[in-house]
Amino acid sequence: MRPQQTDAYSMILEAIDIGTYRPGDRLVESELAERFGVSRTPVREALQRLETQSLLARDGRSLIVASLDHNQMSELYVVRRELEGLAASLAARHATDEEVRILREMVEEDNALIGDPAALSRTNRRFHKQIHLASHNRYLVQQLDLVHRTMALMATTSLAAVGRTQIAQAEHDKIVSAIEAKDEAAAGQALRDHISVAFMTRLKQDANTRKEEG
């Protein structure tokens, strides 16, 4: 893959991930090329790749950032729960002392962000990615990268729910404590529980949105 093509793909993907482009937004080849300072050919190839990965969808002749319906969201959380749990279990087995210390430092640093959902949403991705890497399983990391890219198609973060940031941080602390103790079963269960609570929180958010719109 040519460097410029890879760069265009990564830059568009990051723009979706950080919310520059939201579900339903139209992506125009010429505008993207100008924004990112690349030619239109690598942008076109990047858009085709993102469409193949179902991160973009067709709206007539236009490409838009895809959105997830209720069933897709449920399916995604089921897969994420199991893969994340496996990553935590493997991290408890394989993580180096340095990797474990980094996880602990992340939790302690992020405690200062309780009450700031937008900031914690960014550091939350970093925290989960560190657990993925600490599993020392490249194939699992690849699958989780795809899952987390698809998570960007959700318009809001579950951390925006009232009180969720504090609860999520307590859950992160429990996960890291189990990894520190090299307790594979406890680490896996703690992370699966964490994802389950996040899913329930998101379901409540969606129900409240429907109620307000109704």
Side-chain angles (χ1 to χ4, degrees):
M1 189 176 296
R2 295 187 301 279
Q4 198 178 54
Q5 181 182 345
T6 304
D7 289 346
Y9 171 82
S10 299
M11 289 187 289
I12 297 169
L13 188 61
E14 182 181 10
I16 294 171
D17 190 41
I18 65 177
T20 302
Y21 298 111
R22 312 289 290 180
D25 286 352
R26 190 163 65 104
L27 298 186
V28 179
E29 186 181 301
S30 58
E31 293 175 1
L32 291 168
E34 184 177 352
R35 172 189 279 267
F36 297 123
V38 296
S39 63
R40 293 179 63 163
T41 299
V43 169
R44 185 181 309 121
E45 292 168 347
L47 292 175
Q48 290 171 348
R49 182 178 173 193
L50 289 163
E51 183 182 9
T52 300
Q53 294 175 335
S54 300
L55 295 175
L56 301 180
R58 287 280 170 185
D59 181 20
R61 296 182 65 183
S62 300
L63 275 175
I64 61 172
V65 179
S67 57
L68 301 178
D69 62 26
H70 177 81
N71 288 337
Q72 289 172 312
M73 181 177 71
S74 298
E75 292 165 6
L76 183 61
Y77 266 100
V78 167
V79 172
R80 184 185 174 195
R81 180 178 184 270
E82 295 307 313
L83 293 181
E84 292 263 16
L86 176 58
S89 295
L90 291 175
R93 183 190 307 175
H94 296 302
T96 64
D97 291 343
E98 292 79 6
E99 287 173 321
V100 175
R101 281 201 295 271
I102 288 172
L103 285 169
R104 174 54 65 194
E105 288 174 4
M106 285 180 173
V107 172
E108 292 172 355
E109 290 172 3
D110 291 351
N111 282 338
L113 300 175
I114 287 175
D116 187 344
L120 265 183
S121 178
R122 292 189 292 270
T123 60
N124 180 65
R125 289 194 291 270
R126 181 188 64 173
F127 173 78
H128 281 271
K129 178 68 173 183
Q130 186 60 39
I131 292 176
H132 305 167
L133 295 173
S135 73
H136 292 270
N137 187 304
R138 72 193 70 182
Y139 302 106
L140 180 57
V141 171
Q142 289 172 0
Q143 294 306 310
L144 280 163
D145 281 349
L146 177 59
V147 167
H148 276 258
R149 285 201 297 270
T150 309
M151 293 290 295
L153 301 180
M154 297 182 187
T156 59
T157 170
S158 61
L159 290 168
V162 176
R164 178 59 189 153
T165 55
Q166 186 170 359
I167 293 169
Q169 278 302 106
E171 293 166 352
H172 282 187
D173 180 83
K174 186 175 181 180
I175 294 164
V176 175
S177 293
I179 292 173
E180 287 172 331
K182 300 190 182 301
D183 189 332
E184 297 176 34
Q189 190 60 53
L191 217 162
R192 285 193 295 273
D193 290 346
H194 173 58
I195 301 302
S196 291
V197 174
F199 183 33
M200 288 189 290
T201 301
R202 192 174 290 279
L203 289 175
K204 290 176 184 176
Q205 286 175 311
D206 287 356
N208 289 335
T209 300
R210 288 194 300 273
K211 182 178 178 181
E212 290 169 2
E213 291 174 348

